Amino acid sequence: MTADQVAPGAYLLDVREPDEWEAGHAPGAHHLPMMEVPARMAEVPTDDEVIVVCRAGGRSGQVVAYLMNNGWDNVRNLDGGMQSWAAAGKDVVTDNGQPARVL
């Protein structure tokens, strides 16, 4: 799925590390670092589409495969990750008031 195909209000699951998240993330995204996914899978919705995002698409692709192997059929990878999100002109925000950037 490309950044332009993400519907407004879609459930974005950002699996990047805390420093990457703090530097900049999509508005309304949900942060769940990749290494915490196995212990926190219950937090991932099963009823609505979930778009998984990392920096470039590699880690999120692994998380999508892991969730699908564990019964999720509603997860999709964001091609190109936050790099493609920002390149498509989509908003990137921070929670600390600093200028947003993609690490």
Side-chain angles (χ1 to χ4, degrees):
M1 163 173 283
T2 67
D4 289 333
Q5 293 173 316
V6 176
Y11 191 100
L12 290 172
L13 182 66
D14 191 319
V15 298
R16 296 175 301 151
E17 294 300 310
D19 62 320
E20 294 173 290
W21 169 264
E22 290 168 14
H25 53 270
H30 303 268
H31 187 221
L32 178 56
M34 179 180 178
M35 299 312 288
E36 296 179 25
V37 169
R40 296 174 57 189
M41 285 192 308
E43 297 176 33
V44 180
T46 56
D47 50 355
D48 290 323
E49 184 175 58
V50 174
I51 294 90
V52 185
V53 59
C54 65
R55 180 178 52 216
R59 287 174 285 176
S60 54
Q62 292 175 16
V63 170
V64 166
Y66 181 81
L67 290 169
M68 290 181 86
N69 286 337
N70 282 279
W72 273 256
D73 60 2
N74 60 320
V75 290
R76 307 211 24 214
N77 191 26
L78 180 64
D79 298 332
M82 282 301 296
Q83 291 175 336
S84 69
W85 180 268
K90 300 279 192 173
D91 288 339
V92 179
V93 298
T94 64
D95 296 330
N96 59 16
Q98 296 297 315
R101 56 198 168 93
V102 176
L103 291 184

